[in-house]
Structures are given as structure tokens and as C-alpha cells.
Amino acid sequence: MRVWTFWPLSLVAILMWLLSVSLTQAQSPAGTELELILPDESAVGQETELRAHLVNSLGGAVVGAEVTFLREAVFMNTGNDLILGTAVTDETGVAVLVFIPRSEGEMLITAEFYGDSQYGAAFATGVVPIATGPALYVEEERFRVPGINVSLFAAVLGGVWSLFFVVLVLIWLISREGEIPNPMAGVESD
Amino acid sequence: MEPVEPLEEYQQRLEDKVLSPLTRAGPRYYLIVGLLLLVIAWGLYAYVTQYREGLYVTGMRDRILWGLYVSLFIFFIGISQAGTLISAILRLSKAQWRVPITRMAELITVAALLLGALLPVIDQGRPDRVHFLLLYGRWQSPIIWDIFAISTYTIGSLIYLYLPLIPDLALARDKIGHLVSPPKRWFFRTFSLDWRGTARQKRYLIIALGIMMVLMIPVAVSAHTVVSLIFATTLREPWDNPMFGAYFVAGAIYSGTATIVIVMAVVRKAYGLEEYITRQHFINLGYLLGCLVLVMMYFNVLEFVTNGYKLAGEGEMHFQQLFTGTLAPYYWSYALGGMLIPGLIILFPWTRNIAGVITASVLVNVGMWIERYFIVVGGMRVPIMPYEPASYFPTWVEWSIMAAAFAAFTLIIVLAMRLLPIISIWEVSEQYGEEKIISRREAIGTAVSQSVHPEYAPTFRRAQTTEESQS
């Protein structure tokens, strides 16, 4: 091969190589979409399932991706997102988190995929109405002595205060007795 | 036979001695009040700092949630047992020697309770939410029991302080009413309830006192027991002790008795009451302290033998921190300085005198304060999860508030001494009259009529006689 044909070919090869390298370097992760599937309503103390469906730009399921579920929380006038938990997408691209709400009201939920080398980040938000539920703390009655209860406490306390009242009545009687004019007043001085 | 002073003269002297401080105050009084107010003002500044910055400015930042304030709360509730013990128990058992010191004891009770009840509120980061305890508190919580126990005890103590005051306030109304300021005159007139010492008034008073002195003993015992339950019902190893209630009550009576001795010594000196508050009062209270030293030692030994023998759970760490660890200086100061040395002072005849009993009482009170401190902090310090024990030391804010609490306690007593006769004049007079009857009986050596001779009758005998003659 002549030299004059070798150099242009080499140049083209180098350019092609440079182009391929630059294209590889600049390639961004594939776009993703996250869909949050929430129940229509839930209640305090009730198990609530949060589902997040993660798909790529072509609509294919993203498998094995970690999705974080958060809820908006306000404490001492400071609002922030509170992490409820994380779940990993299954073969259909669905991540499921079950949690138990502890307060009533409209709960703003966010599902977030932070992205990785292959897929870009995505997030979705939604609202779950949480209704009032039964008391979260249910006292387990392990041992009960009949008669020892709040009524007994109130009775003892009431008994003490009743006696206080009797004493106050006696004080009032002392005062009333003093108000009765003494017909002999001044007799002694006379 | 020793010549006996006629009752009228004795009574006149007693009235002059006890009522005169109510009519005038020297510069020393105003100086003391001023100094106490200064300390209280500094404490208020510290509290404002705490209120604005939050509990961050205290030492209670690292898992130790109860510190100096809660220790002080127990200490004050403890010394409030003074009134119940001296006044109610000794009144019930008809121990006559208690008569001149009952008023002081009752006053200590009220002052200590007022301060003690305030301290948990100071301990709160959000005192504006204190009413939540009543709105949302659960009946099953010892804290709620405590609120009811302490408020009942405070109201009862106020009534119990007031009842024996009625005849004395009437006396002040009649004797010095014209010498005092109009507000004080109004106070005497209003709160003496038109007392004239009639038979009926006297009967009502005796019934009321009878009810209260019986009632106040269980109320006081339950109040301090409930305070102990706040700890004993908490799932923390050092407080897991069924004896806590009895231990707290014994400790309360111990520190209460010591407080009476200290206040008694100060009042005796300040008002020259040596004739009425005698060496015998100190010695008797010294004996009481001596008995209580043994009770306290018994409880300590019992606790350490049972819990210390088993060393279950975190018990080992607790005993280690008390005996050889971080809290060892506190523990041994209490054991030696607060129990052993006071016990020895009382035990030996050559130290069992006024100065000795006062010294023992001061040591007891310092020791009991330390004991309250290491009970609270030591209990909190033992981890309930696998982490290193937290450290706690009070900051200047807490020390300042503590100083202000003691100053306020003293101020209440100092101000009350300007408003109320510090010795129960009518009871002391009655006692003197009864002693005279006994001495006369002994002198005559024969049986005398059970009816009281008018010469030796109680303070309000004259009014009673008038009424009887009228009927």
C-alpha cells in the first residue's frame, strides 16, 4: 500500500475512534418514569400499601432499583420529608412498601428513585387521606385486682377532700359564732 | 418547791415576746429580706435565660433528663414532712414538749410545699403546657397521682397551719392591732374570724384540729410515697425497688426533723426565745434524729444486701458507680457525713447538746440533698440501651435557680414571722397552766377536782367564763 493512501485512512480511523470514545463518554443514563400507586384512603393504625412503578423511557420495567418512600412531616413548626422506608423493584418494576400511619389527615407521599449509572432519577408524589382509627396503644390487661381502679383512687381522694370540706365548714361555724353579738361585752370593763 | 410564776404574768411575758416582732422590724430584717430578694432576682434571670433558650442551657442534654430540679423537688417535699411529724404525730401522741415548735414546723411544711410544687414546672422545657397534664394526663400515671397528692397535701397543710393560728391572730388583733399597719390589721381582723374564745368556737376548733391532725399523717405519707412511685414505677434498674416508698418517707422525716432544728435554732437566736425553745427541745429532736439515722441505715443496708447481692441486670453498674465510680464522692459524703457522723454526734453524751444537734442537722440536710441528687442522676445515668453512660453536671442556670429556691423558702419563713406569731401562744399558755396544776397537785399531795381552776385556765378562759355565766 502506498504511503499517500495510508495516511488518510489512518486519519479517518483516528477520527472514528475519537468520535466513538466521545460518544461513549457523553452517553447519559436512560430516562425513567416513576408512577406512584396509592390507596384511595387509609386509617390510623391500618396497614397501608404504597406502590411505585418504575419504567425506563421505552416503558420497560426497571428491575432491582431502590425506591425511597417519604412523607411530609411538620414538627415544631419545621417541615421536612420523613423517610418511611425503602423498597426494591421486582421483575415488573414495582416497589412495595407497607407502613402504618400514626396520624390522621391528608398525607403527602413522595416516591423517589435517586438514579444510578444506568437509569436517571425520577420521583412522583401523591396524597393519601388518612382517617381516624382506633387507639394505637391498646393496653394489654395482664392482671387485674377487682376494685383497684380509678374509681378507688377517686374515692380515696374524694374522702380526703370531703374531710377538708368538713373542716372548712367548722371554720365557717367559728366565724359565724364570732359574729353573734356578745351581750356581756363591756360588762367586765364596767 | 420551786416558786411558780402566776399564769397571767407568764402569759403577758409570752405575748410580749412573741407579738413584738410583728409590730417592728429592725434594719437587720430589711437587710436579710433585701439579700434574699437579690438571690431570687438572680434566679429569675437564670430562669428567663432557660425559658428563652430552652433546657439546652442546663446540664440535662445528654440522656439524663432529670437533674438538679427533680432532686430539689424531692428534697423540698421531704422537708415538708416536718410539719406533719412534729405537729400532727406529736400532737396526736400528746407529746407536750412539741408545743412551742409546732408553728415553725407547720410553716416549714407550707413553705417547702409551695417551693417543691414549683420545681417540676421549672424542670419543664415548655412550662406553658403544664395544664396539659390535667387536660391529657392519664389516671394510670404516677405523675398524675403526684399532682393530686401534692396539691391535696399543700391545701391540707395550709388548713393545718391556719387552724391553731386563729386564737393567736385574735390575740394579735386585740393586743397589737392598733400598733401595726392597716393591711396587717385587716389581716388579723379577717383571719381571726371574730374569735372570742367562746365554748362553741373552742369546740369547733378542737374538732377541726382533731380531724386535721389525723388526716394529715396519711396524706403526708402518701404524698411522699407517690413521689417515690414516679421513680419506682419507671423501668430503670436503680429505681426498681419495692422499698422506695418507705425509704423516701423515712428520708423525708429525717430531713424534715433536721430542718426544724435549723429553723428552730435561728428563730430562737433571732427572737431571744430561749425560755420557750429550750435545750430539751433540741435534745428531744436529736433523739428523734438518732432513731431516724438507724432507720435510714437499715434501709440502705437492706437495699444493698438484696439488690447488691443479686446484681441482676444493670445493678452491677449502678453499685459500681455509687461505691467506687463517678458517684462515689456523693455516696460516701451522704453515708458518712449524712448518716454516720450525725449518728455519732447524737450518740455521744458530750456532743449531744444544742450545738451538736444543730451541727448534726446541718449535716443531715446536706447529706439528704446529696442522696436525692444521686438517686435521680445515678438512676438516669445507668443506660437502658447498649450505650455509654451519659454525664451530667448542673450548669450555672440550675445552680442559680436552686439558690433562688432556697432563698424563696427562707423568705417565705422570714416574711411569715413578721405576720404570724411564731410560737403558738394559746397552746403554750395552756401547757403552762396544765403544768401548774400538776405541780400544785404534787405539792398538795392529794386529789384535786378535775375542773380547771380559773387561775390556770387557757388563754381564752375569760371569754368562756363570761359565756358560761351568761348561760
Side-chain angles (χ1 to χ4, degrees):
Chain A
M1 191 178 288
R2 295 182 181 176
V3 175
W4 61 270
T5 56
F6 173 76
W7 280 108
L9 278 173
S10 300
L11 195 64
V12 169
I14 289 166
L15 284 172
M16 289 298 286
W17 177 77
L18 282 172
L19 186 65
S20 67
V21 166
S22 64
L23 281 172
T24 308
Q25 292 294 318
Q27 185 184 21
S28 59
T32 50
E33 268 183 40
L34 193 63
E35 185 191 4
L36 190 57
I37 304 152
L38 299 173
D40 292 337
E41 61 175 12
S42 186
V44 171
Q46 182 183 307
E47 282 194 350
T48 305
E49 193 177 87
L50 309 175
R51 299 168 74 89
H53 190 202
L54 185 66
V55 293
N56 59 26
S57 53
L58 302 172
V62 176
V63 182
E66 190 179 79
V67 177
T68 303
F69 293 89
L70 308 105
R71 63 156 289 195
E72 189 184 48
V74 177
F75 180 71
M76 300 286 280
N77 302 325
T78 305
N80 211 334
D81 283 335
L82 190 75
I83 295 175
L84 295 173
T86 57
V88 177
T89 53
D90 59 12
E91 65 278 1
T92 60
V94 175
V96 181
L97 182 85
V98 177
F99 89 110
I100 300 171
R102 292 173 192 277
S103 56
E104 61 190 51
E106 299 274 309
M107 190 177 286
L108 181 68
I109 302 287
T110 302
E112 199 157 353
F113 171 60
Y114 296 118
D116 55 20
S117 58
Q118 206 175 347
Y119 296 105
F123 75 96
T125 57
V127 172
V128 186
I130 308 291
T132 312
L136 289 178
Y137 175 74
V138 180
E139 196 176 356
E140 188 187 347
E141 197 174 289
R142 293 197 289 193
F143 187 74
R144 180 175 282 270
V145 180
I148 297 182
N149 50 30
V150 173
S151 305
L152 179 70
F153 178 73
V156 171
L157 197 66
V160 172
W161 281 86
S162 303
L163 287 170
F164 283 174
F165 180 73
V166 169
V167 171
L168 291 177
V169 169
L170 286 164
I171 291 173
W172 174 74
L173 286 172
I174 290 171
S175 173
R176 201 189 64 163
E177 182 67 17
E179 285 169 6
I180 299 168
N182 182 1
M184 297 300 286
V187 170
E188 237 178 329
S189 58
D190 294 339
Chain B
M1 184 190 149
E2 195 180 322
V4 183
E5 184 183 9
L7 179 65
E8 291 292 330
E9 281 178 30
Y10 177 84
Q11 197 172 312
Q12 188 58 49
R13 215 154 33 78
L14 175 65
E15 285 171 13
D16 290 345
K17 199 77 176 171
V18 178
L19 294 180
S20 61
L22 274 60
T23 56
R24 61 177 186 274
R28 200 172 52 171
Y29 170 82
Y30 290 108
L31 183 70
I32 290 168
V33 170
L35 284 173
L36 292 171
L37 284 174
L38 266 179
V39 178
I40 293 169
W42 177 255
L44 278 175
Y45 167 71
Y47 182 68
V48 169
T49 308
Q50 179 185 303
Y51 187 77
R52 286 174 58 185
E53 307 285 328
L55 288 174
Y56 168 78
V57 297
T58 69
M60 299 179 285
R61 282 178 289 182
D62 190 10
R63 301 195 292 270
I64 292 181
L65 315 169
W66 290 345
L68 200 61
Y69 300 147
V70 175
S71 314
L72 209 53
F73 161 67
I74 310 170
F75 180 78
F76 272 121
I77 300 298
I79 61 174
S80 74
Q81 297 275 349
T84 314
L85 174 82
I86 294 299
S87 196
I89 297 177
L90 297 183
R91 195 190 289 268
L92 199 62
S93 58
K94 299 192 190 309
Q96 290 301 317
W97 62 270
R98 50 116 195 135
V99 170
I101 55 175
T102 49
R103 181 78 34 85
M104 273 174 260
E106 288 152 11
L107 201 55
I108 290 169
T109 298
V110 171
L113 278 174
L114 293 176
L115 263 299
L118 196 64
L119 281 157
V121 181
I122 291 173
D123 186 61
Q124 282 189 310
R126 293 290 302 267
D128 52 307
R129 293 181 178 176
V130 70
H131 60 286
F132 282 15
L133 279 169
L134 292 174
L135 293 177
Y136 309 116
R138 301 177 73 232
W139 283 92
Q140 293 90 336
S141 164
I143 291 179
I144 296 297
W145 306 344
D146 215 32
I147 289 172
F148 283 100
I150 302 240
S151 55
T152 303
Y153 187 28
T154 308
I155 297 294
S157 299
L158 277 168
I159 297 172
Y160 195 51
L161 168 69
Y162 175 59
L163 280 174
L165 260 173
I166 297 171
D168 284 348
L169 289 176
L171 195 68
R173 174 198 64 199
D174 298 340
K175 296 272 179 180
I176 56 166
H178 59 289
L179 298 173
V180 296
S181 60
K184 204 181 268 187
R185 195 179 310 137
W186 172 87
F187 175 79
F188 291 153
R189 204 175 50 238
T190 307
F191 287 94
S192 61
L193 304 176
D194 291 322
W195 175 270
R196 286 187 283 117
T198 66
R200 275 187 186 169
Q201 282 183 321
K202 194 183 166 191
R203 193 165 63 244
Y204 294 144
L205 182 65
I206 287 168
I207 295 169
L209 268 172
I211 293 172
M212 287 307 293
M213 71 182 163
V214 175
L215 190 61
M216 284 310 289
I217 298 168
V219 167
V221 169
S222 63
H224 215 73
T225 306
V226 170
V227 169
S228 81
L229 290 179
I230 290 179
F231 299 91
T233 57
T234 305
L235 286 169
R236 279 181 182 271
E237 183 73 26
W239 300 335
D240 191 11
N241 188 342
M243 293 187 306
F244 237 43
Y247 184 42
F248 264 51
V249 171
I253 296 174
Y254 188 43
S255 57
T257 307
T259 308
I260 291 176
V261 172
I262 295 166
V263 173
M264 204 167 80
V266 174
V267 171
R268 181 177 187 258
K269 185 79 182 165
Y271 289 97
L273 298 172
E274 287 83 358
E275 185 187 349
Y276 308 102
I277 302 170
T278 62
R279 180 180 181 277
Q280 199 55 44
H281 289 105
F282 287 92
I283 300 298
N284 286 354
L285 287 175
Y287 283 134
L288 204 55
L289 272 182
C291 294
L292 290 164
V293 165
L294 296 176
V295 173
M296 291 300 289
M297 283 180 170
Y298 172 73
F299 274 120
N300 273 270
V301 169
L302 212 56
E303 182 186 2
F304 298 144
V305 168
T306 50
N307 292 359
Y309 189 87
K310 292 177 285 189
L311 285 184
E314 295 88 16
E316 186 177 353
M317 191 247 158
H318 180 54
F319 281 100
Q320 191 273 331
Q321 70 173 359
L322 278 189
F323 293 146
T324 55
T326 315
L327 298 173
Y330 296 100
Y331 179 74
W332 291 112
S333 302
Y334 154 71
L336 302 177
M339 283 192 296
L340 187 68
I341 295 173
L344 292 175
I345 290 174
I346 305 294
L347 180 69
F348 296 123
W350 54 89
T351 49
R352 197 192 309 132
N353 48 38
I354 294 179
V357 175
I358 294 169
T359 309
S361 301
V362 171
L363 286 172
V364 165
N365 263 339
V366 173
M368 287 309 292
W369 179 86
I370 292 171
E371 190 233 22
R372 303 323 194 182
Y373 180 81
F374 72 68
I375 283 179
V376 174
V377 176
M380 279 277 167
R381 198 171 170 273
V382 175
I384 50 174
M385 291 180 77
Y387 46 64
E388 285 299 305
S391 61
Y392 168 80
F393 196 76
T395 62
W396 72 269
V397 172
E398 289 162 285
W399 290 120
S400 305
I401 290 175
M402 188 183 91
F406 278 114
F409 172 74
T410 314
L411 185 67
I412 291 172
I413 291 176
V414 167
L415 292 178
M417 279 161 53
R418 283 273 294 138
L419 196 63
L420 312 171
I422 198 66
I423 284 182
S424 180
I425 299 171
W426 67 277
E427 285 184 288
V428 172
S429 299
E430 263 191 2
Q431 187 195 9
Y432 185 76
E434 284 166 13
E435 281 171 4
K436 277 193 73 177
I437 291 168
I438 292 165
S439 63
R440 171 164 281 212
R441 277 178 185 168
E442 284 168 352
I444 295 169
T446 181
V448 293
S449 166
Q450 289 297 312
S451 62
V452 179
H453 189 281
E455 186 190 348
Y456 312 124
T459 314
F460 34 77
R461 180 71 194 177
R462 189 177 298 164
Q464 193 181 342
T465 315
T466 311
E467 189 192 58
E468 279 163 5
S469 64
Q470 175 198 341
S471 64

